[in-house]
Amino acid sequence: MSLLITDECINCDVCEPECPNGAISMGDEIYVIDPELCTECVGHFDEPQCIEVCPVDCIVVDPDNQESRDQLQAKYERLTG
């Protein structure tokens, strides 16, 4: 389950440095999350750090990129291994 930043994003810049996988970057108009890099912080933290710091609650589960916790753990291991 990769995360997704909705168009409610206010470009406050707090989420990008919190991502341990470097999955968040500035898109054309708002920040975006690369589903190939997003592990929802599995392997790093108990909760997704971007959601924790977002002041407008615009980060949600991406319905087009749903993964189980085991799949997210495997992605984390690939990214850090």
Side-chain angles (χ1 to χ4, degrees):
M1 295 181 295
S2 174
L3 299 174
L4 173 73
I5 299 175
T6 69
D7 60 5
E8 295 169 7
C9 175
I10 60 171
N11 295 321
C12 67
D13 303 321
V14 299
C15 62
E16 183 181 22
E18 295 299 320
C19 182
N21 296 324
I24 301 174
S25 62
M26 182 51 108
D28 291 336
E29 295 182 21
I30 60 172
Y31 279 92
V32 295
I33 298 176
D34 182 341
E36 297 300 315
L37 298 176
C38 179
T39 62
E40 293 186 36
C41 289
V42 168
H44 294 284
F45 301 100
D46 292 334
E47 299 294 327
Q49 297 302 287
C50 58
I51 291 176
E52 293 289 313
V53 299
C54 181
V56 293
D57 298 324
C58 68
I59 304 172
V60 298
V61 172
D62 183 349
D64 294 331
N65 289 298
Q66 296 199 15
E67 299 167 281
S68 70
R69 186 156 183 89
D70 288 341
Q71 289 171 312
L72 292 169
Q73 180 67 37
K75 187 192 300 184
Y76 162 77
E77 291 170 8
R78 276 194 317 274
L79 291 171
T80 60

